[in-house]
Amino acid sequence: MAMVTLSSFSASVVLTRGGQTGKSSRSFFFKPLLIFSSRFVTLKSTFATKMLASSTAFVKTKPDSISDAKEASTSKIILACPICYDQLISKGDPILSVDSAPRSSLQCSTCMKAYLGNDTHIDLTVASGAKEYGEAMPASTELFRSPLISFLYERGWRQSFSIWGGFPGPEKEFELIKEYLKPVLGGNIVDASCGSGLFSRLFAKSGLFSLVVALDFSENMLRQCYEFIKQEKSFPKENLILVRADIARLPFPSRSVDAVHAGAALHCWPSPSAAVAEISRVLRPGGFFVATTYIVDGPYAALPLLGPLRQSIGQISGSHIFLAERELEDLCNACGLVGFTSKRNRRFVMISATKPS
């Protein structure tokens, strides 16, 4: 039962005015309630409910459990217009899931642009719906959009990471990820650059998150993820949605996401700084960013031409070479994330950082 304890002299009330909140001590507001006690008066949840219904004030209470946080996270659509960043309004099925994506119809209340679902996912890229306009993407981005790479990704491509990169394998990686994300279990999570949904499906089946957003720029990767889901019996489709989006233009309101995971993806992003800045924007205070990538250090980092070479590679292919963990820490700090940690195994590195509370 939620309870609010009021001091005999003052009470902390959160006032909402013009979209902002602030604390104010208004002892006179509660004075009639305090005449029978010189120290404390405890008001039960019936009074708290009335206060919450007020248009001018509410009493802030802390959720009693993870289930309260889950209920809050699933109570609204967190998808936003990638142009305006305003929350999208559903014009069809209000419950978004794998099954409802084909009939989904979302609209931005600001620019009025409509975003429609297709057979497998919802397209929330800026150019969604354009018939004539197109943009050339870096080679690394286009590579993962091909049907062949999408088909091979979980049929040998991803497994090779363990052999030459030191990746511990999906099951071990998933256990490490869960350790990092313990503080936000029960909330929502975005699996950024999800590929064929290897970790998106693990997140959904774990039941540890109220909503899982499998997000990738590759239409074929999302289609492959959808095919894998269809092949699994009793897959929990109600807490997973597939979204096509640009990592540098995430379709979520600011401060709306509890966790972002990016598996073996950071080095493939055309602009890691733009992507991590977007991740920082959408994370709630206290939210977590967890990612895996490659580190080229040791004797390789001492090569005199490696610095200019990696810049040239980045410009041409869109792929990036990271020379040290401190470089990734500096990237996170520059984008407003703190508490950087890392775990290494040969070339493999798993990093985490947090949005300040």
Side-chain angles (χ1 to χ4, degrees):
M1 178 179 293
M3 303 183 72
V4 182
T5 303
L6 304 177
S7 167
S8 59
F9 295 102
S10 65
S12 182
V13 180
V14 180
L15 303 178
T16 60
R17 182 173 301 172
Q20 298 182 345
T21 62
K23 289 188 176 181
S24 175
S25 295
R26 302 291 180 91
S27 59
F28 66 85
F29 182 86
F30 295 101
K31 188 173 181 180
L33 299 174
L34 303 173
I35 58 175
F36 297 106
S37 174
S38 60
R39 294 179 62 83
F40 299 98
V41 174
T42 301
L43 303 179
K44 294 186 177 180
S45 60
T46 53
F47 178 75
T49 301
K50 293 179 181 179
M51 291 294 292
L52 285 168
S54 169
S55 62
T56 59
F58 65 90
V59 179
K60 184 183 290 184
T61 59
K62 185 177 181 180
D64 294 328
S65 65
I66 287 178
S67 62
D68 294 331
K70 287 182 67 175
E71 184 177 351
S73 294
T74 57
S75 63
K76 65 179 182 179
I77 298 173
I78 67 165
L79 298 179
C81 172
I83 300 170
C84 307
Y85 290 145
D86 286 341
Q87 188 171 313
L88 293 172
I89 300 171
S90 175
K91 302 183 71 177
D93 194 330
I95 306 299
L96 294 180
S97 67
V98 171
D99 287 333
S100 68
R103 60 179 182 272
S104 296
S105 177
L106 305 171
Q107 187 174 45
C108 176
S109 59
T110 302
C111 69
M112 304 306 292
K113 180 172 179 176
Y115 300 89
L116 303 177
N118 56 32
D119 292 338
T120 58
H121 60 272
I122 304 170
D123 192 336
L124 293 180
T125 56
V126 171
S128 172
K131 296 179 180 180
E132 302 295 334
Y133 178 76
E135 286 183 337
M137 301 299 291
S140 61
T141 301
E142 292 300 323
L143 176 67
F144 289 102
R145 295 181 71 185
S146 71
L148 177 61
I149 299 302
S150 301
F151 178 81
L152 293 175
Y153 191 74
E154 287 188 46
R155 297 177 175 93
W157 183 294
R158 189 56 161 79
Q159 289 82 345
S160 69
F161 295 1
S162 300
I163 299 173
W164 59 270
F167 277 64
E171 292 76 15
K172 178 61 177 177
E173 286 178 54
F174 185 61
E175 293 302 316
L176 294 173
I177 294 165
K178 287 193 296 184
E179 287 297 314
Y180 279 121
L181 298 182
K182 275 184 177 180
V184 293
L185 294 182
N188 55 49
I189 184 169
V190 175
D191 190 18
S193 297
C194 66
S196 56
L198 177 61
F199 287 98
S200 302
R201 303 195 308 275
L202 290 174
F203 289 136
K205 289 188 290 185
S206 73
L208 296 174
F209 300 93
S210 59
L211 176 65
V212 180
V213 180
L215 183 146
D216 204 283
F217 189 75
S218 170
E219 307 92 323
N220 284 306
M221 282 292 191
L222 293 171
R223 292 189 186 105
Q224 186 61 73
C225 178
Y226 186 81
E227 289 299 319
F228 282 134
I229 291 171
K230 286 203 308 181
Q231 294 170 14
E232 293 194 43
K233 295 182 179 180
S234 304
F235 187 93
K237 300 177 182 178
E238 66 281 354
N239 71 331
L240 173 66
I241 55 176
L242 279 58
V243 174
R244 181 175 183 246
D246 185 346
I247 190 64
R249 197 78 184 177
L250 293 174
F252 307 104
S254 299
R255 302 158 63 98
S256 64
V257 175
D258 297 301
V260 175
H261 167 259
L266 203 154
H267 53 277
C268 296
W269 292 341
S271 173
S273 61
V276 177
E278 268 294 89
I279 290 168
S280 179
R281 179 186 67 81
V282 303
L283 281 176
R284 300 181 192 275
F288 277 80
F289 171 48
V290 178
T292 57
T293 187
Y294 297 97
I295 292 288
V296 179
D297 56 5
Y300 303 103
L303 294 176
L305 298 178
L306 186 57
L309 177 62
R310 71 168 182 162
Q311 291 182 358
S312 298
I313 292 174
Q315 290 173 349
I316 297 171
S317 69
S319 294
H320 298 269
I321 299 173
F322 297 107
L323 301 179
E325 294 166 68
R326 63 179 180 273
E327 185 178 10
L328 293 170
E329 180 177 8
D330 196 34
L331 170 63
C332 290
N333 290 340
C335 294
L337 300 176
V338 299
F340 179 90
T341 65
S342 64
K343 293 182 179 179
R344 285 290 305 274
N345 181 39
R346 293 161 49 201
R347 304 274 75 79
F348 164 85
V349 62
M350 177 176 284
I351 66 170
S352 76
T354 311
K355 186 69 175 288
S357 300

mmCIF file of all heavy atoms in Angstrom, residues 290-323:
data_model
loop_
_atom_site.group_PDB
_atom_site.id
_atom_site.type_symbol
_atom_site.label_atom_id
_atom_site.label_comp_id
_atom_site.label_asym_id
_atom_site.label_seq_id
_atom_site.Cartn_x
_atom_site.Cartn_y
_atom_site.Cartn_z
ATOM 1 N N VAL A 290 24.965 -0.863 -23.318
ATOM 2 C CA VAL A 290 25.892 -1.996 -23.311
ATOM 3 C C VAL A 290 26.188 -2.368 -24.752
ATOM 4 O O VAL A 290 25.255 -2.513 -25.560
ATOM 5 C CB VAL A 290 25.304 -3.210 -22.563
ATOM 6 C CG1 VAL A 290 26.275 -4.383 -22.621
ATOM 7 C CG2 VAL A 290 24.989 -2.856 -21.119
ATOM 8 N N ALA A 291 27.459 -2.521 -25.104
ATOM 9 C CA ALA A 291 27.827 -2.806 -26.486
ATOM 10 C C ALA A 291 29.052 -3.698 -26.539
ATOM 11 O O ALA A 291 29.866 -3.735 -25.604
ATOM 12 C CB ALA A 291 28.097 -1.505 -27.247
ATOM 13 N N THR A 292 29.193 -4.434 -27.645
ATOM 14 C CA THR A 292 30.398 -5.206 -27.908
ATOM 15 C C THR A 292 30.989 -4.767 -29.241
ATOM 16 O O THR A 292 30.264 -4.394 -30.163
ATOM 17 C CB THR A 292 30.097 -6.719 -27.954
ATOM 18 O OG1 THR A 292 29.099 -6.984 -28.952
ATOM 19 C CG2 THR A 292 29.609 -7.217 -26.615
ATOM 20 N N THR A 293 32.311 -4.813 -29.323
ATOM 21 C CA THR A 293 33.008 -4.438 -30.556
ATOM 22 C C THR A 293 34.407 -5.034 -30.508
ATOM 23 O O THR A 293 34.702 -5.897 -29.668
ATOM 24 C CB THR A 293 33.051 -2.908 -30.725
ATOM 25 O OG1 THR A 293 33.582 -2.586 -32.000
ATOM 26 C CG2 THR A 293 33.856 -2.235 -29.643
ATOM 27 N N TYR A 294 35.263 -4.591 -31.423
ATOM 28 C CA TYR A 294 36.632 -5.088 -31.511
ATOM 29 C C TYR A 294 37.614 -4.005 -31.087
ATOM 30 O O TYR A 294 37.383 -2.821 -31.305
ATOM 31 C CB TYR A 294 36.973 -5.495 -32.941
ATOM 32 C CG TYR A 294 36.148 -6.629 -33.482
ATOM 33 C CD1 TYR A 294 35.037 -6.373 -34.275
ATOM 34 C CD2 TYR A 294 36.485 -7.949 -33.208
ATOM 35 C CE1 TYR A 294 34.281 -7.419 -34.783
ATOM 36 C CE2 TYR A 294 35.738 -8.997 -33.711
ATOM 37 C CZ TYR A 294 34.634 -8.728 -34.499
ATOM 38 O OH TYR A 294 33.892 -9.753 -34.994
ATOM 39 N N ILE A 295 38.725 -4.450 -30.494
ATOM 40 C CA ILE A 295 39.830 -3.557 -30.154
ATOM 41 C C ILE A 295 41.092 -4.054 -30.874
ATOM 42 O O ILE A 295 41.448 -5.233 -30.799
ATOM 43 C CB ILE A 295 40.101 -3.547 -28.636
ATOM 44 C CG1 ILE A 295 38.946 -2.882 -27.891
ATOM 45 C CG2 ILE A 295 41.408 -2.819 -28.332
ATOM 46 C CD1 ILE A 295 38.857 -1.398 -28.060
ATOM 47 N N VAL A 296 41.763 -3.170 -31.593
ATOM 48 C CA VAL A 296 43.026 -3.501 -32.241
ATOM 49 C C VAL A 296 44.124 -2.782 -31.451
ATOM 50 O O VAL A 296 44.434 -1.622 -31.700
ATOM 51 C CB VAL A 296 43.032 -3.070 -33.720
ATOM 52 C CG1 VAL A 296 44.381 -3.419 -34.366
ATOM 53 C CG2 VAL A 296 41.901 -3.740 -34.470
ATOM 54 N N ASP A 297 44.693 -3.487 -30.476
ATOM 55 C CA ASP A 297 45.744 -2.870 -29.659
ATOM 56 C C ASP A 297 46.969 -3.776 -29.652
ATOM 57 O O ASP A 297 47.158 -4.564 -30.583
ATOM 58 C CB ASP A 297 45.236 -2.573 -28.244
ATOM 59 C CG ASP A 297 44.694 -3.811 -27.558
ATOM 60 O OD1 ASP A 297 44.790 -4.911 -28.146
ATOM 61 O OD2 ASP A 297 44.164 -3.699 -26.439
ATOM 62 N N GLY A 298 47.780 -3.683 -28.647
ATOM 63 C CA GLY A 298 49.001 -4.475 -28.609
ATOM 64 C C GLY A 298 49.979 -3.997 -29.666
ATOM 65 O O GLY A 298 50.105 -2.793 -29.925
ATOM 66 N N PRO A 299 50.676 -4.902 -30.319
ATOM 67 C CA PRO A 299 51.685 -4.499 -31.313
ATOM 68 C C PRO A 299 51.082 -3.795 -32.518
ATOM 69 O O PRO A 299 51.737 -2.980 -33.168
ATOM 70 C CB PRO A 299 52.332 -5.834 -31.724
ATOM 71 C CG PRO A 299 51.310 -6.878 -31.384
ATOM 72 C CD PRO A 299 50.619 -6.367 -30.154
ATOM 73 N N TYR A 300 49.800 -4.107 -32.816
ATOM 74 C CA TYR A 300 49.181 -3.467 -33.978
ATOM 75 C C TYR A 300 49.041 -1.960 -33.788
ATOM 76 O O TYR A 300 49.183 -1.182 -34.723
ATOM 77 C CB TYR A 300 47.799 -4.079 -34.231
ATOM 78 C CG TYR A 300 47.824 -5.573 -34.422
ATOM 79 C CD1 TYR A 300 47.436 -6.426 -33.400
ATOM 80 C CD2 TYR A 300 48.252 -6.132 -35.622
ATOM 81 C CE1 TYR A 300 47.463 -7.800 -33.562
ATOM 82 C CE2 TYR A 300 48.279 -7.511 -35.805
ATOM 83 C CZ TYR A 300 47.885 -8.337 -34.769
ATOM 84 O OH TYR A 300 47.915 -9.694 -34.942
ATOM 85 N N ALA A 301 48.724 -1.546 -32.569
ATOM 86 C CA ALA A 301 48.494 -0.123 -32.305
ATOM 87 C C ALA A 301 49.756 0.713 -32.500
ATOM 88 O O ALA A 301 49.671 1.927 -32.682
ATOM 89 C CB ALA A 301 47.970 0.063 -30.880
ATOM 90 N N ALA A 302 50.922 0.057 -32.474
ATOM 91 C CA ALA A 302 52.183 0.793 -32.604
ATOM 92 C C ALA A 302 52.579 1.037 -34.056
ATOM 93 O O ALA A 302 53.536 1.769 -34.324
ATOM 94 C CB ALA A 302 53.297 0.032 -31.885
ATOM 95 N N LEU A 303 51.869 0.427 -34.986
ATOM 96 C CA LEU A 303 52.208 0.636 -36.396
ATOM 97 C C LEU A 303 52.048 2.113 -36.756
ATOM 98 O O LEU A 303 51.007 2.706 -36.508
ATOM 99 C CB LEU A 303 51.302 -0.223 -37.284
ATOM 100 C CG LEU A 303 51.479 -1.746 -37.159
ATOM 101 C CD1 LEU A 303 50.446 -2.466 -38.014
ATOM 102 C CD2 LEU A 303 52.892 -2.146 -37.567
ATOM 103 N N PRO A 304 53.056 2.734 -37.329
ATOM 104 C CA PRO A 304 53.035 4.191 -37.569
ATOM 105 C C PRO A 304 51.947 4.640 -38.548
ATOM 106 O O PRO A 304 51.469 5.761 -38.457
ATOM 107 C CB PRO A 304 54.434 4.487 -38.109
ATOM 108 C CG PRO A 304 54.917 3.181 -38.653
ATOM 109 C CD PRO A 304 54.329 2.130 -37.763
ATOM 110 N N LEU A 305 51.552 3.774 -39.472
ATOM 111 C CA LEU A 305 50.573 4.174 -40.481
ATOM 112 C C LEU A 305 49.153 3.739 -40.139
ATOM 113 O O LEU A 305 48.224 3.958 -40.920
ATOM 114 C CB LEU A 305 50.971 3.580 -41.846
ATOM 115 C CG LEU A 305 52.315 4.045 -42.416
ATOM 116 C CD1 LEU A 305 52.583 3.342 -43.745
ATOM 117 C CD2 LEU A 305 52.328 5.556 -42.605
ATOM 118 N N LEU A 306 48.970 3.113 -38.952
ATOM 119 C CA LEU A 306 47.646 2.596 -38.624
ATOM 120 C C LEU A 306 46.625 3.706 -38.424
ATOM 121 O O LEU A 306 45.467 3.586 -38.837
ATOM 122 C CB LEU A 306 47.712 1.727 -37.357
ATOM 123 C CG LEU A 306 46.406 1.011 -36.988
ATOM 124 C CD1 LEU A 306 45.929 0.137 -38.137
ATOM 125 C CD2 LEU A 306 46.596 0.174 -35.726
ATOM 126 N N GLY A 307 47.046 4.824 -37.807
ATOM 127 C CA GLY A 307 46.131 5.933 -37.583
ATOM 128 C C GLY A 307 45.544 6.481 -38.872
ATOM 129 O O GLY A 307 44.325 6.508 -39.060
ATOM 130 N N PRO A 308 46.383 6.924 -39.819
ATOM 131 C CA PRO A 308 45.859 7.409 -41.106
ATOM 132 C C PRO A 308 45.106 6.330 -41.880
ATOM 133 O O PRO A 308 44.116 6.619 -42.561
ATOM 134 C CB PRO A 308 47.118 7.850 -41.856
ATOM 135 C CG PRO A 308 48.124 8.119 -40.788
ATOM 136 C CD PRO A 308 47.837 7.141 -39.702
ATOM 137 N N LEU A 309 45.576 5.064 -41.756
ATOM 138 C CA LEU A 309 44.929 3.978 -42.481
ATOM 139 C C LEU A 309 43.494 3.765 -41.998
ATOM 140 O O LEU A 309 42.578 3.604 -42.803
ATOM 141 C CB LEU A 309 45.725 2.688 -42.310
ATOM 142 C CG LEU A 309 45.110 1.433 -42.965
ATOM 143 C CD1 LEU A 309 45.004 1.615 -44.472
ATOM 144 C CD2 LEU A 309 45.939 0.191 -42.609
ATOM 145 N N ARG A 310 43.297 3.789 -40.684
ATOM 146 C CA ARG A 310 41.945 3.554 -40.186
ATOM 147 C C ARG A 310 41.015 4.710 -40.554
ATOM 148 O O ARG A 310 39.819 4.509 -40.741
ATOM 149 C CB ARG A 310 41.951 3.333 -38.677
ATOM 150 C CG ARG A 310 42.251 4.554 -37.826
ATOM 151 C CD ARG A 310 41.943 4.263 -36.379
ATOM 152 N NE ARG A 310 42.180 5.415 -35.532
ATOM 153 C CZ ARG A 310 41.668 5.522 -34.298
ATOM 154 N NH1 ARG A 310 40.918 4.573 -33.795
ATOM 155 N NH2 ARG A 310 41.918 6.599 -33.584
ATOM 156 N N GLN A 311 41.535 5.921 -40.658
ATOM 157 C CA GLN A 311 40.696 7.045 -41.095
ATOM 158 C C GLN A 311 40.254 6.857 -42.542
ATOM 159 O O GLN A 311 39.098 7.107 -42.891
ATOM 160 C CB GLN A 311 41.454 8.362 -40.935
ATOM 161 C CG GLN A 311 41.684 8.768 -39.490
ATOM 162 C CD GLN A 311 42.407 10.098 -39.372
ATOM 163 O OE1 GLN A 311 42.780 10.705 -40.379
ATOM 164 N NE2 GLN A 311 42.604 10.576 -38.150
ATOM 165 N N SER A 312 41.164 6.379 -43.359
ATOM 166 C CA SER A 312 40.826 6.132 -44.764
ATOM 167 C C SER A 312 39.810 5.007 -44.883
ATOM 168 O O SER A 312 38.856 5.093 -45.669
ATOM 169 C CB SER A 312 42.094 5.774 -45.559
ATOM 170 O OG SER A 312 43.020 6.834 -45.539
ATOM 171 N N ILE A 313 39.997 3.959 -44.084
ATOM 172 C CA ILE A 313 39.046 2.846 -44.093
ATOM 173 C C ILE A 313 37.664 3.321 -43.667
ATOM 174 O O ILE A 313 36.653 2.955 -44.258
ATOM 175 C CB ILE A 313 39.537 1.712 -43.176
ATOM 176 C CG1 ILE A 313 40.785 1.060 -43.759
ATOM 177 C CG2 ILE A 313 38.443 0.671 -42.967
ATOM 178 C CD1 ILE A 313 41.426 0.030 -42.856
ATOM 179 N N GLY A 314 37.625 4.172 -42.645
ATOM 180 C CA GLY A 314 36.352 4.692 -42.164
ATOM 181 C C GLY A 314 35.638 5.538 -43.195
ATOM 182 O O GLY A 314 34.416 5.453 -43.351
ATOM 183 N N GLN A 315 36.386 6.351 -43.901
ATOM 184 C CA GLN A 315 35.785 7.223 -44.909
ATOM 185 C C GLN A 315 35.225 6.432 -46.089
ATOM 186 O O GLN A 315 34.165 6.751 -46.622
ATOM 187 C CB GLN A 315 36.828 8.230 -45.408
ATOM 188 C CG GLN A 315 37.199 9.286 -44.378
ATOM 189 C CD GLN A 315 38.362 10.154 -44.846
ATOM 190 O OE1 GLN A 315 39.019 9.852 -45.836
ATOM 191 N NE2 GLN A 315 38.611 11.236 -44.122
ATOM 192 N N ILE A 316 35.927 5.385 -46.489
ATOM 193 C CA ILE A 316 35.520 4.625 -47.666
ATOM 194 C C ILE A 316 34.438 3.597 -47.339
ATOM 195 O O ILE A 316 33.413 3.515 -48.022
ATOM 196 C CB ILE A 316 36.741 3.916 -48.295
ATOM 197 C CG1 ILE A 316 37.747 4.960 -48.774
ATOM 198 C CG2 ILE A 316 36.298 3.014 -49.450
ATOM 199 C CD1 ILE A 316 39.077 4.362 -49.201
ATOM 200 N N SER A 317 34.654 2.815 -46.277
ATOM 201 C CA SER A 317 33.767 1.688 -45.989
ATOM 202 C C SER A 317 32.691 1.997 -44.957
ATOM 203 O O SER A 317 31.649 1.341 -44.918
ATOM 204 C CB SER A 317 34.593 0.500 -45.496
ATOM 205 O OG SER A 317 35.134 0.779 -44.209
ATOM 206 N N GLY A 318 32.936 2.996 -44.107
ATOM 207 C CA GLY A 318 32.003 3.265 -43.019
ATOM 208 C C GLY A 318 32.296 2.436 -41.784
ATOM 209 O O GLY A 318 31.610 2.567 -40.768
ATOM 210 N N SER A 319 33.319 1.579 -41.820
ATOM 211 C CA SER A 319 33.716 0.778 -40.663
ATOM 212 C C SER A 319 34.823 1.498 -39.896
ATOM 213 O O SER A 319 35.602 2.253 -40.476
ATOM 214 C CB SER A 319 34.215 -0.596 -41.107
ATOM 215 O OG SER A 319 33.177 -1.348 -41.682
ATOM 216 N N HIS A 320 34.894 1.220 -38.596
ATOM 217 C CA HIS A 320 35.843 1.935 -37.742
ATOM 218 C C HIS A 320 36.708 0.950 -36.965
ATOM 219 O O HIS A 320 36.240 -0.102 -36.531
ATOM 220 C CB HIS A 320 35.097 2.865 -36.787
ATOM 221 C CG HIS A 320 34.313 3.921 -37.504
ATOM 222 N ND1 HIS A 320 34.828 5.159 -37.823
ATOM 223 C CD2 HIS A 320 33.059 3.906 -38.010
ATOM 224 C CE1 HIS A 320 33.919 5.869 -38.468
ATOM 225 N NE2 HIS A 320 32.838 5.129 -38.599
ATOM 226 N N ILE A 321 37.951 1.314 -36.776
ATOM 227 C CA ILE A 321 38.904 0.509 -36.011
ATOM 228 C C ILE A 321 39.179 1.237 -34.699
ATOM 229 O O ILE A 321 39.612 2.392 -34.706
ATOM 230 C CB ILE A 321 40.213 0.317 -36.790
ATOM 231 C CG1 ILE A 321 39.944 -0.412 -38.119
ATOM 232 C CG2 ILE A 321 41.226 -0.463 -35.960
ATOM 233 C CD1 ILE A 321 41.164 -0.483 -39.020
ATOM 234 N N PHE A 322 38.949 0.543 -33.581
ATOM 235 C CA PHE A 322 39.220 1.131 -32.268
ATOM 236 C C PHE A 322 40.544 0.582 -31.750
ATOM 237 O O PHE A 322 40.775 -0.631 -31.735
ATOM 238 C CB PHE A 322 38.083 0.816 -31.297
ATOM 239 C CG PHE A 322 36.765 1.399 -31.719
ATOM 240 C CD1 PHE A 322 35.760 0.580 -32.206
ATOM 241 C CD2 PHE A 322 36.532 2.761 -31.666
ATOM 242 C CE1 PHE A 322 34.541 1.108 -32.615
ATOM 243 C CE2 PHE A 322 35.325 3.308 -32.070
ATOM 244 C CZ PHE A 322 34.322 2.473 -32.540
ATOM 245 N N LEU A 323 41.415 1.485 -31.328
ATOM 246 C CA LEU A 323 42.768 1.116 -30.948
ATOM 247 C C LEU A 323 42.932 0.861 -29.458
ATOM 248 O O LEU A 323 43.921 0.247 -29.053
ATOM 249 C CB LEU A 323 43.753 2.214 -31.382
ATOM 250 C CG LEU A 323 43.791 2.520 -32.884
ATOM 251 C CD1 LEU A 323 44.794 3.629 -33.169
ATOM 252 C CD2 LEU A 323 44.132 1.277 -33.675
#
